[in-house]
Structures are given as C-alpha cells and as structure tokens.
Amino acid sequence: MKDVPRKKRIRKRMLGAALALITLFTSVPIFYSAAAAPLVANGSFQETDAYGVPEGWTYRLVGTQTGSLTRTEAWGKDGAYVKMDPAEGVAMLETSGEDVIRIAGGQNYQLSWYGYSQGNLHVEIEQYSVDEDGNAGLIDSSMETTAYTISRTDEWKKQSLVFAAEEDASYAVIRFVAEGGESGVDEVTLSMVSDRKRETVGRMA
C-alpha cells in the first residue's frame, strides 16, 4: 500500500471538515425556511389548480351575470395577479378553508398587499374561534378597514395594516372586495409583529 505523506493526510482531513461545515450551514436555512411557511398560502398567485384558480383562494361574484375574476399571467407585481371585474355587482377574492390562516389570540399581525382599482377595492378580515368540539364560530371583532381602500387608479399601490387577533381567535379569513370597476390584487402577505406602538385596526393592542 502506497504511503501517503503526512501533509497530504492533514489536507484531506481539513478538506473533509470544511465540506462537512458547508453541508451543515447550507442545510440550516433550508430547514428554517420550510418551518417558517408563509401564513398566507400562494399570496403571489403563482400556483393554480386544474381550473386555473389560484390554490388557497376562492372567487365569488354577487349581483352580476357578466362580472369575472381571472388569474392573469402578465403585468402583476411579480408576473401574475388576480384581475377582478365586478361589472354591475361585487367581486370577492378570499382565502379558502383548505389553507387555513392560523393566528394566535392576543398577537398583532401585519397584512400587506398590492392593488389597483378603477372603482373601489377594500379588504375585510374575519376572525374565528374553535370550540372543544371543533366547531368554528365567527368573532365579532368590529374591524374597520375602509381607510385602506384603493380607489380610482390604474397604478399598483401597496397597502399595509396591523390588526390585533382576539384572545379566543384560532384562524382568520382575508377577503378582497371590488366594486365599481376593474381591480387587481397581488403579493398578499401576513406576518406576526411585536411592535405594539404600530397603529392597529379592530381591538387595540
């Protein structure tokens, strides 16, 4: 068996240790990002189901036979967005029950999104509690969000608000409501925040 010089053996050991450290440190962020999944699933509307509807979201049209909601590939903030055309009625885009937004009672959350509207586009946030039998109940949180309405503009605008989860809240539903003209929604995110000095809507933290 060929004798390997001592310096080469040391170099090989050092190289092996370095590779082990690289593997360790590059695997940690992957594990962390998987654990810290976004609270709003598919908030950029990149993923769709077999019918072309963004996964984790549902559409509703009220009071119109000609209105529409469609996922559009181009011109969004990141290449895809949901275009809402309420016609003479109201168009609604909301998170679906299949991808529940879990929230912790008593905590503050920041909701951010981009939107435009030739009419009016506003957001609604519903909070729900769950009893011992697993039955969900809507909490009357009296949340006033009209100050964050986007009106009469074709330009994308970013909106952001902070709300306080009710003490008995378990999950939330986010709904965007458009009326009076074409509107668009994109880049919806929700995150827990600890800054209690931020202005909140609903119950004050």
Side-chain angles (χ1 to χ4, degrees), residues 81-108:
Y81 73 101
V82 172
K83 181 168 67 174
M84 310 166 69
D85 183 4
E88 72 279 9
V90 176
M92 301 181 186
L93 170 69
E94 65 182 49
T95 52
S96 70
E98 296 180 359
D99 292 280
V100 173
I101 301 175
R102 299 194 180 279
I103 57 177
Q107 297 295 322
N108 284 352

Side-chain angles (χ1 to χ4, degrees), residues 1-2 15 27 77 79 82 89 119 121 135 137 148 163 177 182:
M1 181 176 179
K2 188 176 181 181
L15 178 60
S27 63
K77 296 302 293 183
V82 172
L121 173 68
N135 299 314
Y148 302 91
F163 70 92
V177 183
E182 179 188 310

Side-chain angles (χ1 to χ4, degrees), residues 48-123:
T48 61
D49 61 18
Y51 301 97
V53 177
E55 292 185 356
W57 296 84
T58 59
Y59 297 160
R60 279 197 294 163
L61 292 167
V62 179
T64 176
Q65 299 295 323
T66 59
S68 64
L69 290 96
T70 55
R71 175 184 176 273
T72 302
E73 284 284 356
W75 306 111
K77 296 302 293 183
D78 63 353
Y81 73 101
V82 172
K83 181 168 67 174
M84 310 166 69
D85 183 4
E88 72 279 9
V90 176
M92 301 181 186
L93 170 69
E94 65 182 49
T95 52
S96 70
E98 296 180 359
D99 292 280
V100 173
I101 301 175
R102 299 194 180 279
I103 57 177
Q107 297 295 322
N108 284 352
Y109 291 85
Q110 179 171 304
L111 174 65
S112 299
W113 70 99
Y114 284 89
Y116 72 87
S117 181
Q118 297 172 0
N120 294 299
L121 173 68
H122 71 272
V123 65

Side-chain angles (χ1 to χ4, degrees), residues 5 10 28 60 75 108-109 123 136 159 171 183 194-196:
I10 293 174
V28 168
R60 279 197 294 163
W75 306 111
N108 284 352
Y109 291 85
V123 65
Q159 294 281 48
Y171 70 92
S183 301
S194 58
D195 186 357
R196 291 182 172 270

